[in-house]
Amino acid sequence: NKDGNGNYYLPTAFGISFHALRQYNEKFGKTFFMETLTKEQAFEIYYNSYYVATDEKIISFLLTECKWGGNSKVNNLQNAINKLISEGEIKGEKLVPDGIIGEKTKNILINNKEKLIIIYKKMVEIRMIQLKQLNTWALYGAGWSKRFILFEDFLKEAEKK
């Protein structure tokens, strides 16, 4: 596939990159295809590849989303937490955004479990500002936006359990 500038790019589905899908298929002996990847298969990939276990399943899902995005996404989570603390929306001591999912980050999430969707939405708001500045926004923006909505749905489902 080529973008509008003639640069080649590989497809994604539900935020799963072509390379992540290939690695997953090899590691787990699967034959998932990008063109037919289902929401359930995407969730399986997230869970098996990025899951961060905690005693609280919903917190695990939120941390999994952050781990999938690497240090910058963990920083976004920590910055979102700090903004919400400043706004009085959640309780806790401000964090040093270090890109590490440590005990301080986990404890704030545990102590504000009923506000995880709000925390996630604030994190996405911060991330979207960053993504919209990229020259690849026109190409991938709709997919990235869909993925954030999909993951919010995963969080809402986890919240019910």
Side-chain angles (χ1 to χ4, degrees), residues 51-61 109-110 113 116:
Y51 190 72
V52 177
T54 70
D55 291 339
E56 300 283 343
K57 194 172 195 175
I58 185 166
I59 293 171
S60 294
F61 285 120
L109 296 174
I110 289 166
K113 182 181 169 191
L116 291 181

Side-chain angles (χ1 to χ4, degrees), residues 72-111:
S72 68
K73 217 164 206 187
V74 176
N75 281 339
N76 290 340
L77 170 66
Q78 292 165 332
N79 286 324
I81 287 169
N82 288 343
K83 283 185 179 204
L84 291 167
I85 288 171
S86 292
E87 295 167 4
E89 187 70 42
I90 64 173
K91 296 172 272 181
E93 262 184 58
K94 286 192 173 183
L95 301 168
V96 175
D98 58 7
I100 298 169
I101 300 170
E103 289 307 310
K104 288 180 182 178
T105 304
K106 287 180 186 177
N107 286 336
I108 286 178
L109 296 174
I110 289 166
N111 293 331

